[in-house]
Amino acid sequence: MSGRVVVVGVGNPLRGDDGIGPAAVETLRGRVPDGTVLAVSDGEPARLLDLWRDADTVIVVEALRTHPARPGELHTLTSAEAAGHARATASTHSFGLGECLALAEALDRLPPRLVVHAVEVADVGLGEGLSDVVRSALPELTDRVAASVRRACEHGHGL
């Protein structure tokens, strides 16, 4: 195992709160150990699979929708939990993370360890900028992701 850690901020900053993943990645710069790969993705499955190729630990940061909605609430999901969420409730993207994980499993391209840090969103309409409630969750979200990265690096792989 390489010990390679990849953090992927999934989302679109031009869709309001859907930009939380990319915003978290930007906030992480300088806060994680050297060698940690920080990347942004629009959530397209082939690009995600390429980003986490040869990684021992993948940390995905993204927006989440649940019913009933609790904007600003943070969630940490295992790959199994993320894969179990239905597209309509879990991801803000047309092809959700659950479907991407199913594809990765079918292609035998799941990373050995994957965790998802997500924040429930208030607004994913067109327009830049996070809502106040989601912006206020960004510091704790970033702290949680940074802690996951540190644990993975300390253990050579584990979250």
Side-chain angles (χ1 to χ4, degrees):
M1 292 197 175
S2 68
R4 185 170 180 252
V5 178
V6 176
V7 178
V8 182
V10 177
N12 181 347
L14 300 176
R15 300 280 316 227
D17 291 341
D18 192 42
I20 190 68
V25 165
E26 282 306 310
T27 305
L28 286 167
R29 295 195 189 283
R31 290 192 57 193
V32 294
D34 290 343
T36 303
V37 176
L38 296 175
V40 172
S41 173
D42 61 3
E44 195 280 321
R47 286 190 283 272
L48 278 173
L49 295 181
D50 278 345
L51 285 171
W52 70 45
R53 178 178 289 150
D54 299 325
D56 289 320
T57 301
V58 173
I59 302 164
V60 176
V61 187
E62 91 155 323
L64 180 76
R65 282 189 280 195
T66 62
H67 299 286
R70 296 173 305 244
E73 186 165 320
L74 298 173
H75 298 267
T76 300
L77 307 170
T78 65
S79 60
E81 290 167 334
H85 281 281
R87 180 173 70 203
T89 59
S91 180
T92 60
H93 317 292
S94 59
F95 190 47
L97 185 60
E99 289 87 355
C100 181
L101 293 172
L103 176 62
E105 184 173 24
L107 296 173
D108 196 27
R109 293 191 50 198
L110 273 176
R113 281 163 272 324
L114 184 137
V115 66
V116 178
H117 289 285
V119 61
E120 290 190 41
V121 296
D123 181 13
V124 292
L126 290 176
E128 290 186 60
L130 302 173
S131 66
D132 289 342
V133 68
V134 170
R135 186 179 314 104
S136 69
L138 183 59
E140 185 178 346
L141 175 67
T142 305
D143 288 347
R144 287 183 183 195
V145 175
S148 290
V149 171
R150 282 192 303 276
R151 282 192 300 274
C153 291
E154 288 168 3
H155 296 107
H157 58 68
L159 295 170

